[in-house]
Amino acid sequence: MIITQDLSKQFGNLWAVDGVNLRVMPGEVLALLGPNGAGKTTTVRMLTSILKPTRGEAKVAGFDVITEPEKVRASVGVLTEQHGLYGRMKALEYLEFFGQIYNMDINLRRARAAQLLDDFGLTRDAARRIGDFSKGMRQKLALARAMLHDPPVLLLDEPTSAMDPESARLVRDSICELRSGKRAIIICTHNLAEAEELADHIAIIRNGKIIASGSISEIKASTHGPLEYEVKFAFPLNGQDLASVLPEGVEMTGKGETWIRVKTDNPAKSNPLLLRQLLALNYPVVGMREVTRSLEEVYLQAINRTQENAQDV
């Protein structure tokens, strides 16, 4: 549904996007992660045929972003950082206006507008001017506009920004419901928990280049550094200090009443020694498990590694 090959955009001497390769299949959600200025927004603008690539190519819903821009724009729903809402228009009037732009049948656009306003809890505000809306309400209205024509591709930039927890949950549930065999979604977000919940695949972009990509499990598995393990005990430790009984090469990273966490570079060697020593000292060990790396840890490691490589150059 979305495919790019060497997609690049140059502004003056700056390559804002440089050699980006993406592939999003129907039914998939891709989370595009990266710091401010990494190239996320420029990538989205090229995928919507707003910006013409300097180099490379891209197809969206089967249409070429360079040679078929009108068909691309008709096939995407876009939530941008700057919503472009018309403050003097009323919410229902605004959605109907965009329905006309998309050449939607009058009955269909009115039914879709009413349904989306209801889905996002805005029915009571349908006759209010948008200028009176809160930031969160504007965000929901902009998302409704992006979904109005039921596009096969959704490009969402910070979809839950400025929302209260209840509204953010509503939007995330809506995105989950939008997953289907006929639709592909790209989400640009700084909310890593949200990305982990919604996305099938992750792509991390920095300085215009993709520095890590794959499924969440693949990216976590590729992370370097000591692995962390949690040892669970049957009874509270009552403040006992276990640091002195840890084998060489094992470092404690945290502890609670009935557990400790340790990290090691060589678990095959260190973990059996640790368990043997704890059991010999009559500590009631009931289990040991590897602690799954968080997406935040993976993200920060990828970003920091890129910074270190740039400094070496």
Side-chain angles (χ1 to χ4, degrees):
M1 192 66 75
I2 302 170
I3 184 168
T4 74
Q5 182 67 40
D6 193 33
L7 189 65
S8 307
K9 183 64 181 179
Q10 185 178 27
F11 297 103
N13 295 324
L14 172 68
W15 285 96
V17 175
D18 189 2
V20 164
N21 299 318
L22 297 174
R23 183 183 295 268
V24 188
M25 302 299 289
E28 290 184 343
V29 177
L30 170 73
L32 188 59
L33 309 178
N36 292 332
K40 301 187 299 295
T41 299
T42 301
T43 299
V44 168
R45 287 177 177 170
M46 287 190 283
L47 293 177
T48 53
S49 292
I50 294 174
L51 285 177
K52 184 177 180 180
T54 305
R55 189 183 74 233
E57 58 186 27
K59 285 191 174 182
V60 176
F63 302 115
D64 190 285
V65 298
I66 298 175
T67 62
E68 302 173 287
E70 291 185 1
K71 292 180 179 179
V72 168
R73 294 178 195 133
S75 302
V76 299
V78 186
L79 176 69
T80 59
E81 189 175 1
Q82 302 297 328
H83 301 146
L85 298 173
Y86 303 144
R88 303 181 76 177
M89 295 182 78
K90 298 173 183 177
L92 183 58
E93 178 186 15
Y94 176 79
L95 292 181
E96 283 218 32
F97 170 69
F98 272 89
Q100 293 177 60
I101 290 177
Y102 287 120
N103 293 316
M104 295 173 67
D105 172 80
I106 183 171
N107 293 323
L108 175 60
R109 71 174 181 253
R110 287 180 177 175
R112 282 286 293 168
Q115 182 62 56
L116 288 166
L117 288 173
D118 185 59
D119 289 345
F120 289 116
L122 295 174
T123 298
R124 293 182 179 179
D125 303 290
R128 287 180 60 190
R129 294 190 185 277
I130 299 170
D132 295 330
F133 279 20
S134 68
K135 192 172 182 180
M137 292 170 66
R138 294 183 188 189
Q139 182 84 349
K140 288 192 281 188
L141 182 62
L143 184 55
R145 179 198 64 200
M147 297 163 52
L148 182 65
H149 58 304
D150 195 23
V153 173
L154 280 172
L155 305 173
L156 309 178
D157 192 355
E158 300 291 346
T160 59
S161 174
M163 287 187 177
D164 60 80
E166 183 179 0
S167 296
R169 178 75 270 164
L170 185 153
V171 168
R172 285 194 291 270
D173 288 345
S174 296
I175 293 172
C176 288
E177 292 173 4
L178 286 167
R179 304 169 77 115
S180 71
K182 66 174 184 176
R183 182 178 287 110
I185 303 173
I186 291 182
I187 300 174
C188 300
T189 180
H190 290 95
N191 188 329
L192 299 182
E194 181 173 272
E196 191 160 9
E197 176 184 348
L198 297 175
D200 301 292
H201 299 280
I202 300 287
I204 302 175
I205 186 170
R206 180 173 173 80
N207 297 330
K209 298 178 180 290
I210 301 295
I211 58 175
S213 64
S215 68
I216 293 176
S217 59
E218 288 171 343
I219 288 184
K220 287 183 177 180
S222 69
T223 306
H224 304 291
L227 295 174
E228 192 173 24
Y229 294 86
E230 183 174 283
V231 182
K232 183 79 172 177
F233 301 97
F235 306 108
L237 298 174
N238 296 322
Q240 296 179 60
D241 184 10
L242 299 185
S244 60
V245 306
L246 300 182
E248 185 178 353
V250 177
E251 177 185 344
M252 188 178 298
T253 59
K255 63 180 180 179
E257 285 191 2
T258 60
W259 57 269
I260 61 170
R261 284 189 178 181
V262 298
K263 66 179 180 181
T264 175
D265 287 311
N266 190 354
K269 177 182 177 181
S270 301
N271 287 353
L273 291 175
L274 172 61
L275 290 176
R276 194 178 305 136
Q277 195 146 321
L278 289 172
L279 292 171
L281 294 171
N282 295 318
Y283 284 101
V285 177
V286 295
M288 184 177 193
R289 67 175 183 88
E290 182 180 339
V291 178
T292 304
R293 297 183 191 274
S294 68
L295 183 57
E296 180 181 20
E297 181 182 358
V298 174
Y299 171 82
L300 291 174
Q301 186 176 111
I303 294 295
N304 292 335
R305 187 167 60 242
T306 307
Q307 288 178 324
E308 290 169 0
N309 292 340
Q311 289 172 354
D312 290 341
V313 172

